[in-house]
Amino acid sequence: LSAFGFSRLLAETRTSHILAPGLLSFNSVTNSLNFGFSGFFVSSFPPRFSDLDSSFQLRWSFPPHLSERVLSSSFTLSSQPFYPSFVSSILSESSFSEYVSSFLSLPDLHSQIFTLPYTFFDSPLLDDVLSTDCSFFVLTGLSSLFNNQRKLSELFVSLRSRLSPDIALYVPGPIAPTYYSFLVYSGVDFFDDSLAYYLSERGFFLTSDSVYPLSNHPECYCSFCRSSPPDILGHNLQVMANKLSQIRFFLESGNLRTLVERDVHSSPLLSSTLNYFDRNYSSTFLSRFPVQQSTSLVCTSSSSLNRPEVELFRYRVRERFNPSPQTRVVILFPCSARKPYSLSRSHSLFSQSLRQAGKSFLPFLSELIITSPLSVVPRELESLYPPRFYDIPVSGFWSEEEIAVTSSLLIDVLSKFPENIILINHTYGQGYSDIIERVSDSLNLTVYHTSKSERPTSSSSLSNLSSTLREVLSSLNLTDSNSSHNLSPFLRKLIATADYQYGPGSGNVLFSSPIRTRGKYPRDIQIFREKKLIATYLSRTGFLSLHPAAAQEILDYSLVNLDFAAETITGSSIYAPGCNHASEFILPSDEIFIVNSGRVLATARALIAGVDMNKMSSGSLAIVKKKLKLKKGETK
């Protein structure tokens, strides 16, 4: 579950060991064929699909260090009138109802596999099964939906909202590897290797994105193809296993969505389904994407504008960012290739021009970076994910959708500043001009353009920025520039980060009193108040890590609270049975507060989203970071 995306934790292990995604084998897996299979069926693959037994076992292969923690090493697939998925059959509601009743009467449901025909994904009878401790579902007939983006989207969104993370989802049958990343992204955990047998028996050669006849296919240099005679089955199995291995790698590095965007271009149906997901069901994905990470976010296509983590950033900027109330002038800058922006050559030149206008005026300035696909990045938030870690090809062209989305967010952000602010536009190009025009028409702002005719880094534009800023600031008659309540850039960054991370208002509570710091970027920076360590600024991610006592101060503002069932915490993990309720704003990898009766017992790192914490009945939810230390003589 520490992997990103939606891979599930099987309840049978009661651990955070990642079993998914996996490839289930129809033959016993030997050490010599280590394809990374998570399990195998205790039954030889039959010559004909119709010869499958009515009941057989799925057996797991666990690492030795986990074998003692496994409650069950095998599942039983029984009483299945409609498995496998590629057997032609029409199932009536009465037949499905009869099957559910039969299934619920079976012993040891925790080791039983439940088969769900896709036509009954929204059946109320499913609630009866979900109330048991059955944790392995087979979703049959899915391939028949591969030509219907709306139904395919609705099915996965419905299942995602109903199935808890400790239930694994297996899609059987000949599913092409090119579909794997999209299906894992949608919530599927396991596939099987029947496609390899199916194609090999018919004389077809499999690649990661296509199928070829043996008489004419791309050259392959794997050991199976180099053998004499070539082992076509071994090759086809290897291709499937390699794709699952690639997906696991992208999951663990937090880049599954990047792989999905790359893979779906080989299928118009999957590409359109992904767009349909983003446009109609983005909230389903928003609540489960981590924001506290430091992996590269590669934006390669127009669909990146609607990526969940991008949408989430725009949402938090709109809802949680509160600009400095001292601001009198807002300056708009373009983005840069180097991140964070302030370390780039262009933004260093911008900063130099601002200082030339007068250092005493700096507290009255606020900077916003206009960029796609993030739209608007306040300078205070440039070191967070994704602004600090995204990469996008620069064409200079802004689509109508990009202009509309960016204009909307910029209007909302500028509306938070004090009235009568002055806007200085130091961007260049038609797309930027269209955005500024819409914003100025909507808000009726005074706008100065300082790089309209030349690029922002030209000597003329930089000189124009300094002189215009000096003229504007002088006309405002600012007098209290040396007041003790002026906020330094780093303090403004801390306040904005706390609001973005924990909830609006948190920053002012934590950092309203005088603080001192120890350390310097790029190392972590410790933050003290009255000689007490209250927080650490994590330079690698740009986020904060709080001491439990500091977390207590912002408890009323916090959106990352987990109500814990006990008065004390033992061990280093928070498990599902101890969770009374978790905030639905919690995302994977968030620092959260473990709370009992209004008291913060510890801070912890969330393994899964809060919405999923509230569904789980087993498994680990969070890893404890810092526990509250009781003073001598203090009662619990």
Side-chain angles (χ1 to χ4, degrees), residues 423-466:
L423 189 65
I424 294 181
N425 171 33
H426 196 69
T427 64
Y428 175 82
Q430 187 60 48
Y432 288 112
S433 297
D434 292 340
I435 292 169
I436 306 306
E437 182 178 352
R438 296 189 188 188
V439 171
S440 59
D441 290 344
S442 177
L443 298 180
N444 193 27
L445 294 174
T446 301
V447 182
Y448 292 84
H449 301 276
T450 55
S451 63
K452 198 167 187 178
S453 57
E454 293 189 39
R455 295 192 174 278
T457 53
S458 70
S459 299
S460 175
S461 295
L462 292 172
S463 177
N464 194 18
L465 173 61
S466 293

Short mmCIF file of all heavy atoms in Angstrom, two decimals, residues 423-466:
data_model
loop_
_atom_site.label_atom_id
_atom_site.label_comp_id
_atom_site.label_asym_id
_atom_site.label_seq_id
_atom_site.Cartn_x
_atom_site.Cartn_y
_atom_site.Cartn_z
N LEU A 423 -1.76 45.10 -10.84
CA LEU A 423 -1.25 43.89 -11.47
C LEU A 423 -0.19 44.25 -12.49
O LEU A 423 -0.42 45.09 -13.38
CB LEU A 423 -2.40 43.13 -12.15
CG LEU A 423 -2.11 41.72 -12.67
CD1 LEU A 423 -1.78 40.78 -11.53
CD2 LEU A 423 -3.30 41.19 -13.46
N ILE A 424 0.98 43.65 -12.35
CA ILE A 424 2.05 43.82 -13.33
C ILE A 424 2.23 42.50 -14.08
O ILE A 424 2.50 41.46 -13.47
CB ILE A 424 3.38 44.23 -12.67
CG1 ILE A 424 3.24 45.63 -12.06
CG2 ILE A 424 4.52 44.21 -13.68
CD1 ILE A 424 4.50 46.14 -11.39
N ASN A 425 2.05 42.55 -15.38
CA ASN A 425 2.15 41.36 -16.21
C ASN A 425 3.52 41.32 -16.89
O ASN A 425 3.80 42.11 -17.79
CB ASN A 425 1.04 41.37 -17.26
CG ASN A 425 1.22 40.26 -18.29
OD1 ASN A 425 1.70 39.19 -17.96
ND2 ASN A 425 0.83 40.53 -19.53
N HIS A 426 4.36 40.40 -16.44
CA HIS A 426 5.69 40.26 -17.03
C HIS A 426 5.78 38.91 -17.76
O HIS A 426 6.69 38.11 -17.56
CB HIS A 426 6.78 40.35 -15.95
CG HIS A 426 8.15 40.59 -16.50
ND1 HIS A 426 8.54 41.78 -17.09
CD2 HIS A 426 9.25 39.77 -16.59
CE1 HIS A 426 9.79 41.70 -17.48
NE2 HIS A 426 10.24 40.48 -17.21
N THR A 427 4.78 38.64 -18.60
CA THR A 427 4.76 37.45 -19.45
C THR A 427 4.77 37.88 -20.91
O THR A 427 4.57 39.07 -21.22
CB THR A 427 3.53 36.57 -19.17
OG1 THR A 427 2.34 37.30 -19.51
CG2 THR A 427 3.48 36.16 -17.69
N TYR A 428 4.96 36.91 -21.79
CA TYR A 428 5.10 37.24 -23.22
C TYR A 428 4.44 36.16 -24.05
O TYR A 428 4.60 34.96 -23.78
CB TYR A 428 6.59 37.34 -23.57
CG TYR A 428 6.88 37.55 -25.03
CD1 TYR A 428 6.83 38.82 -25.59
CD2 TYR A 428 7.23 36.47 -25.85
CE1 TYR A 428 7.13 39.03 -26.93
CE2 TYR A 428 7.52 36.66 -27.20
CZ TYR A 428 7.47 37.94 -27.73
OH TYR A 428 7.75 38.13 -29.06
N GLY A 429 3.67 36.55 -25.04
CA GLY A 429 3.05 35.59 -25.94
C GLY A 429 1.54 35.72 -25.97
O GLY A 429 0.91 36.24 -25.04
N GLN A 430 0.94 35.19 -27.05
CA GLN A 430 -0.48 35.35 -27.26
C GLN A 430 -1.31 34.64 -26.20
O GLN A 430 -2.32 35.17 -25.73
CB GLN A 430 -0.87 34.82 -28.66
CG GLN A 430 -2.32 35.09 -29.03
CD GLN A 430 -2.64 36.58 -29.06
OE1 GLN A 430 -1.89 37.36 -29.64
NE2 GLN A 430 -3.72 36.98 -28.42
N GLY A 431 -0.90 33.43 -25.80
CA GLY A 431 -1.67 32.70 -24.79
C GLY A 431 -1.73 33.46 -23.48
O GLY A 431 -2.80 33.59 -22.87
N TYR A 432 -0.61 33.97 -23.03
CA TYR A 432 -0.58 34.77 -21.81
C TYR A 432 -1.46 36.01 -21.97
O TYR A 432 -2.20 36.39 -21.04
CB TYR A 432 0.85 35.19 -21.48
CG TYR A 432 1.74 34.08 -20.98
CD1 TYR A 432 2.80 33.62 -21.75
CD2 TYR A 432 1.54 33.51 -19.73
CE1 TYR A 432 3.63 32.60 -21.31
CE2 TYR A 432 2.37 32.50 -19.26
CZ TYR A 432 3.42 32.05 -20.05
OH TYR A 432 4.23 31.05 -19.60
N SER A 433 -1.38 36.66 -23.12
CA SER A 433 -2.17 37.88 -23.35
C SER A 433 -3.66 37.60 -23.26
O SER A 433 -4.43 38.39 -22.69
CB SER A 433 -1.83 38.46 -24.73
OG SER A 433 -0.48 38.85 -24.80
N ASP A 434 -4.07 36.47 -23.83
CA ASP A 434 -5.50 36.10 -23.77
C ASP A 434 -5.94 35.89 -22.32
O ASP A 434 -7.05 36.29 -21.94
CB ASP A 434 -5.74 34.83 -24.57
CG ASP A 434 -5.55 35.04 -26.07
OD1 ASP A 434 -5.61 36.21 -26.51
OD2 ASP A 434 -5.34 34.04 -26.79
N ILE A 435 -5.07 35.27 -21.52
CA ILE A 435 -5.40 35.02 -20.11
C ILE A 435 -5.54 36.33 -19.36
O ILE A 435 -6.51 36.56 -18.63
CB ILE A 435 -4.32 34.13 -19.46
CG1 ILE A 435 -4.36 32.73 -20.06
CG2 ILE A 435 -4.52 34.06 -17.95
CD1 ILE A 435 -3.16 31.86 -19.69
N ILE A 436 -4.56 37.24 -19.54
CA ILE A 436 -4.58 38.52 -18.81
C ILE A 436 -5.78 39.35 -19.24
O ILE A 436 -6.41 40.03 -18.41
CB ILE A 436 -3.27 39.30 -19.06
CG1 ILE A 436 -2.06 38.43 -18.70
CG2 ILE A 436 -3.27 40.60 -18.26
CD1 ILE A 436 -2.10 37.85 -17.32
N GLU A 437 -6.13 39.30 -20.50
CA GLU A 437 -7.27 40.07 -20.99
C GLU A 437 -8.56 39.61 -20.31
O GLU A 437 -9.39 40.43 -19.88
CB GLU A 437 -7.38 39.94 -22.50
CG GLU A 437 -8.51 40.75 -23.11
CD GLU A 437 -8.56 40.63 -24.62
OE1 GLU A 437 -7.63 40.06 -25.21
OE2 GLU A 437 -9.56 41.12 -25.22
N ARG A 438 -8.74 38.31 -20.21
CA ARG A 438 -9.96 37.79 -19.56
C ARG A 438 -9.98 38.16 -18.08
O ARG A 438 -11.03 38.49 -17.53
CB ARG A 438 -10.03 36.27 -19.73
CG ARG A 438 -10.17 35.82 -21.16
CD ARG A 438 -10.45 34.33 -21.27
NE ARG A 438 -10.40 33.87 -22.65
CZ ARG A 438 -10.75 32.66 -23.06
NH1 ARG A 438 -11.21 31.78 -22.16
NH2 ARG A 438 -10.68 32.32 -24.32
N VAL A 439 -8.82 38.09 -17.43
CA VAL A 439 -8.76 38.40 -16.00
C VAL A 439 -9.04 39.87 -15.75
O VAL A 439 -9.81 40.23 -14.86
CB VAL A 439 -7.37 38.01 -15.44
CG1 VAL A 439 -7.21 38.53 -14.01
CG2 VAL A 439 -7.20 36.50 -15.46
N SER A 440 -8.41 40.75 -16.53
CA SER A 440 -8.61 42.19 -16.32
C SER A 440 -10.04 42.61 -16.61
O SER A 440 -10.60 43.48 -15.92
CB SER A 440 -7.64 42.99 -17.20
OG SER A 440 -7.83 42.69 -18.57
N ASP A 441 -10.67 41.98 -17.60
CA ASP A 441 -12.08 42.29 -17.89
C ASP A 441 -12.98 41.85 -16.75
O ASP A 441 -13.97 42.52 -16.42
CB ASP A 441 -12.51 41.60 -19.18
CG ASP A 441 -11.88 42.21 -20.42
OD1 ASP A 441 -11.35 43.34 -20.31
OD2 ASP A 441 -11.90 41.56 -21.48
N SER A 442 -12.65 40.72 -16.13
CA SER A 442 -13.49 40.18 -15.07
C SER A 442 -13.35 40.95 -13.76
O SER A 442 -14.34 41.19 -13.06
CB SER A 442 -13.15 38.71 -14.84
OG SER A 442 -13.89 38.17 -13.77
N LEU A 443 -12.12 41.35 -13.43
CA LEU A 443 -11.86 41.98 -12.13
C LEU A 443 -11.68 43.49 -12.20
O LEU A 443 -11.57 44.15 -11.15
CB LEU A 443 -10.60 41.36 -11.52
CG LEU A 443 -10.67 39.86 -11.21
CD1 LEU A 443 -9.35 39.39 -10.62
CD2 LEU A 443 -11.81 39.55 -10.26
N ASN A 444 -11.63 44.03 -13.40
CA ASN A 444 -11.47 45.49 -13.56
C ASN A 444 -10.23 45.99 -12.83
O ASN A 444 -10.28 46.94 -12.03
CB ASN A 444 -12.71 46.22 -13.06
CG ASN A 444 -12.73 47.68 -13.48
OD1 ASN A 444 -12.15 48.04 -14.51
ND2 ASN A 444 -13.39 48.51 -12.69
N LEU A 445 -9.08 45.35 -13.08
CA LEU A 445 -7.83 45.70 -12.43
C LEU A 445 -7.01 46.66 -13.29
O LEU A 445 -7.14 46.69 -14.52
CB LEU A 445 -6.99 44.44 -12.17
CG LEU A 445 -7.54 43.42 -11.18
CD1 LEU A 445 -6.65 42.18 -11.18
CD2 LEU A 445 -7.62 44.00 -9.79
N THR A 446 -6.16 47.42 -12.62
CA THR A 446 -5.15 48.20 -13.34
C THR A 446 -3.98 47.29 -13.66
O THR A 446 -3.38 46.70 -12.77
CB THR A 446 -4.67 49.38 -12.48
OG1 THR A 446 -5.78 50.21 -12.14
CG2 THR A 446 -3.62 50.20 -13.21
N VAL A 447 -3.67 47.14 -14.95
CA VAL A 447 -2.64 46.21 -15.38
C VAL A 447 -1.54 46.97 -16.12
O VAL A 447 -1.81 47.75 -17.04
CB VAL A 447 -3.21 45.11 -16.29
CG1 VAL A 447 -2.11 44.12 -16.67
CG2 VAL A 447 -4.36 44.39 -15.62
N TYR A 448 -0.29 46.70 -15.70
CA TYR A 448 0.88 47.23 -16.39
C TYR A 448 1.58 46.07 -17.09
O TYR A 448 1.87 45.04 -16.48
CB TYR A 448 1.86 47.89 -15.41
CG TYR A 448 1.33 49.16 -14.78
CD1 TYR A 448 0.51 49.11 -13.66
CD2 TYR A 448 1.66 50.40 -15.30
CE1 TYR A 448 0.03 50.26 -13.07
CE2 TYR A 448 1.19 51.58 -14.72
CZ TYR A 448 0.37 51.50 -13.60
OH TYR A 448 -0.11 52.64 -13.03
N HIS A 449 1.88 46.25 -18.39
CA HIS A 449 2.55 45.22 -19.18
C HIS A 449 4.01 45.62 -19.34
O HIS A 449 4.31 46.66 -19.94
CB HIS A 449 1.89 45.05 -20.54
CG HIS A 449 0.44 44.67 -20.46
ND1 HIS A 449 0.03 43.37 -20.30
CD2 HIS A 449 -0.68 45.44 -20.50
CE1 HIS A 449 -1.30 43.34 -20.25
NE2 HIS A 449 -1.75 44.59 -20.38
N THR A 450 4.93 44.80 -18.83
CA THR A 450 6.35 45.16 -18.86
C THR A 450 7.17 44.33 -19.83
O THR A 450 8.38 44.57 -19.97
CB THR A 450 6.95 45.02 -17.44
OG1 THR A 450 6.70 43.70 -16.96
CG2 THR A 450 6.33 46.03 -16.49
N SER A 451 6.56 43.36 -20.48
CA SER A 451 7.33 42.56 -21.48
C SER A 451 6.44 42.18 -22.64
O SER A 451 6.51 41.06 -23.16
CB SER A 451 7.93 41.31 -20.83
OG SER A 451 6.91 40.46 -20.36
N LYS A 452 5.60 43.11 -23.06
CA LYS A 452 4.63 42.79 -24.09
C LYS A 452 5.26 42.66 -25.47
O LYS A 452 4.83 41.84 -26.30
CB LYS A 452 3.55 43.86 -24.12
CG LYS A 452 2.28 43.44 -24.84
CD LYS A 452 1.16 44.41 -24.57
CE LYS A 452 -0.16 43.89 -25.14
NZ LYS A 452 -1.28 44.82 -24.85
N SER A 453 6.32 43.42 -25.73
CA SER A 453 6.93 43.43 -27.06
C SER A 453 8.19 42.58 -27.16
O SER A 453 8.62 42.25 -28.26
CB SER A 453 7.25 44.87 -27.48
OG SER A 453 8.11 45.48 -26.52
N GLU A 454 8.82 42.25 -26.02
CA GLU A 454 10.03 41.43 -26.02
C GLU A 454 9.93 40.37 -24.94
O GLU A 454 9.13 40.46 -24.02
CB GLU A 454 11.27 42.30 -25.79
CG GLU A 454 11.56 43.27 -26.92
CD GLU A 454 12.91 43.95 -26.73
OE1 GLU A 454 13.85 43.26 -26.29
OE2 GLU A 454 13.00 45.16 -27.01
N ARG A 455 10.78 39.38 -25.05
CA ARG A 455 10.77 38.30 -24.08
C ARG A 455 11.08 38.82 -22.68
O ARG A 455 11.85 39.78 -22.54
CB ARG A 455 11.74 37.20 -24.49
CG ARG A 455 11.33 36.51 -25.78
CD ARG A 455 12.11 35.24 -26.03
NE ARG A 455 11.59 34.55 -27.20
CZ ARG A 455 10.54 33.75 -27.21
NH1 ARG A 455 9.88 33.54 -26.08
NH2 ARG A 455 10.12 33.16 -28.32
N PRO A 456 10.55 38.16 -21.65
CA PRO A 456 10.70 38.66 -20.27
C PRO A 456 12.15 38.78 -19.81
O PRO A 456 12.45 39.57 -18.92
CB PRO A 456 9.95 37.63 -19.43
CG PRO A 456 8.94 37.04 -20.37
CD PRO A 456 9.62 37.01 -21.70
N THR A 457 13.07 37.98 -20.38
CA THR A 457 14.46 38.02 -19.92
C THR A 457 15.32 39.00 -20.70
O THR A 457 16.52 39.11 -20.44
CB THR A 457 15.08 36.61 -20.03
OG1 THR A 457 14.90 36.12 -21.37
CG2 THR A 457 14.44 35.66 -19.03
N SER A 458 14.75 39.69 -21.66
CA SER A 458 15.54 40.67 -22.42
C SER A 458 15.90 41.85 -21.53
O SER A 458 15.20 42.16 -20.55
CB SER A 458 14.75 41.15 -23.64
OG SER A 458 13.65 41.95 -23.23
N SER A 459 16.98 42.52 -21.86
CA SER A 459 17.43 43.67 -21.06
C SER A 459 16.37 44.75 -21.02
O SER A 459 16.13 45.37 -19.98
CB SER A 459 18.73 44.24 -21.65
OG SER A 459 19.75 43.28 -21.62
N SER A 460 15.71 44.96 -22.15
CA SER A 460 14.67 45.99 -22.21
C SER A 460 13.50 45.65 -21.28
O SER A 460 13.01 46.52 -20.56
CB SER A 460 14.18 46.12 -23.65
OG SER A 460 13.09 47.01 -23.73
N SER A 461 13.04 44.39 -21.30
CA SER A 461 11.92 43.99 -20.46
C SER A 461 12.28 44.06 -18.98
O SER A 461 11.48 44.52 -18.15
CB SER A 461 11.47 42.57 -20.82
OG SER A 461 10.95 42.52 -22.11
N LEU A 462 13.49 43.63 -18.62
CA LEU A 462 13.91 43.65 -17.22
C LEU A 462 14.03 45.09 -16.72
O LEU A 462 13.64 45.40 -15.58
CB LEU A 462 15.24 42.92 -17.06
CG LEU A 462 15.20 41.40 -17.29
CD1 LEU A 462 16.62 40.83 -17.31
CD2 LEU A 462 14.36 40.71 -16.24
N SER A 463 14.57 45.96 -17.55
CA SER A 463 14.66 47.37 -17.17
C SER A 463 13.27 47.98 -17.03
O SER A 463 13.01 48.76 -16.10
CB SER A 463 15.47 48.12 -18.23
OG SER A 463 15.51 49.49 -17.93
N ASN A 464 12.38 47.61 -17.93
CA ASN A 464 11.01 48.11 -17.87
C ASN A 464 10.31 47.64 -16.60
O ASN A 464 9.54 48.38 -15.98
CB ASN A 464 10.24 47.64 -19.11
CG ASN A 464 8.93 48.38 -19.30
OD1 ASN A 464 8.71 49.44 -18.72
ND2 ASN A 464 8.06 47.79 -20.10
N LEU A 465 10.58 46.38 -16.19
CA LEU A 465 9.99 45.84 -14.96
C LEU A 465 10.44 46.65 -13.75
O LEU A 465 9.62 47.05 -12.91
CB LEU A 465 10.39 44.37 -14.79
CG LEU A 465 9.99 43.70 -13.48
CD1 LEU A 465 8.47 43.69 -13.31
CD2 LEU A 465 10.54 42.27 -13.41
N SER A 466 11.73 46.94 -13.66
CA SER A 466 12.25 47.70 -12.51
C SER A 466 11.69 49.11 -12.46
O SER A 466 11.23 49.58 -11.41
CB SER A 466 13.78 47.76 -12.57
OG SER A 466 14.35 46.50 -12.39
#
